[in-house]
Amino acid sequence: NKIHAKILPDSGMKSFENSIDKSGLNIKFLNKKTKFEEAIKSYNLAVNFRMSTVFFECLIQNKPTILVLDKRTNIYFDKKFLNFLKLMLKNNIAFINISKASKFINENYFHLDKWWNNKKTQNLRNDIRENYCRNFNSTHKDFKKLFND
């Protein structure tokens, strides 16, 4: 399997990229100028290691994605989001254990669509989108209101 990774500029992940290069793993790092929207179209799964815009963009675009959280750095969420996080853990959208995430990917890689398009997964994705992803309408009327009121 080919694995491609995109490291955000100035993310502090250069040392990660260097350690992967030295490990001998077959991971290609995408050009930093590659736009997320273009890159994501070419891949079956996005793996996120931070609660970030990319994770939410994948949800908006209905692109299979998982989130691997480090309990030491990703633990401060409001009560409402913690409930969503529990559901994401239950539905294999989020993982706190990288070994479990790896096992899930290896066991489901050839049928990710079945998992991602499952009714429970899609309902959860839509609930998260509705609560945490602001998607302005095409005329941007609601965005313009921010500046006119």
Side-chain angles (χ1 to χ4, degrees):
N1 291 338
K2 288 185 180 177
I3 298 173
H4 293 88
K6 181 166 171 72
I7 305 292
L8 297 175
D10 302 323
S11 67
M13 296 296 285
K14 189 66 179 167
S15 60
F16 171 74
E17 186 174 344
N18 291 337
S19 68
I20 292 296
D21 286 342
K22 291 176 186 173
S23 73
L25 293 173
N26 186 19
I27 297 178
K28 177 184 175 192
F29 289 90
L30 299 174
N31 183 315
K32 302 206 181 351
K33 293 179 182 177
T34 303
K35 293 185 179 187
F36 165 75
E37 296 83 9
E38 292 304 314
I40 199 68
K41 289 178 187 176
S42 303
Y43 303 103
N44 298 332
L45 178 69
V47 180
N48 299 275
F49 291 93
R50 292 186 180 164
M51 182 67 65
S52 67
T53 302
V54 171
F55 174 72
F56 291 105
E57 282 289 332
C58 288
L59 294 178
I60 289 169
Q61 294 184 27
N62 201 15
K63 187 67 177 180
T65 188
I66 65 169
L67 178 63
V68 182
L69 294 174
D70 182 342
K71 282 199 272 189
R72 296 169 295 177
T73 59
N74 289 286
I75 57 171
Y76 302 105
F77 301 117
D78 64 32
K79 232 181 209 183
K80 181 178 176 182
F81 192 78
L82 281 174
N83 288 329
F84 278 113
L85 183 56
K86 286 177 187 175
L87 291 170
M88 285 191 287
L89 290 164
K90 181 178 178 183
N91 288 283
N92 298 312
I93 294 173
F95 296 86
I96 294 176
N97 180 307
I98 197 161
S99 296
K100 287 183 181 179
S102 177
K103 182 179 178 185
F104 174 80
I105 292 169
N106 287 320
E107 289 177 355
N108 293 282
Y109 186 79
F110 293 106
H111 50 272
L112 289 169
D113 287 342
K114 183 178 178 183
W115 155 72
W116 189 253
N117 293 314
N118 174 288
K119 188 175 180 177
K120 284 183 179 181
T121 305
Q122 284 295 304
N123 286 342
L124 176 57
R125 180 189 74 82
N126 284 322
D127 287 346
I128 295 167
R129 276 185 43 230
E130 288 175 20
N131 284 276
Y132 292 98
C133 303
R134 184 71 170 141
N135 195 5
F136 294 106
N137 66 35
S138 60
T139 60
H140 300 292
K141 288 179 186 175
D142 42 0
F143 184 73
K144 289 176 186 176
K145 282 182 183 180
L146 289 171
F147 299 102
N148 292 331
D149 288 346

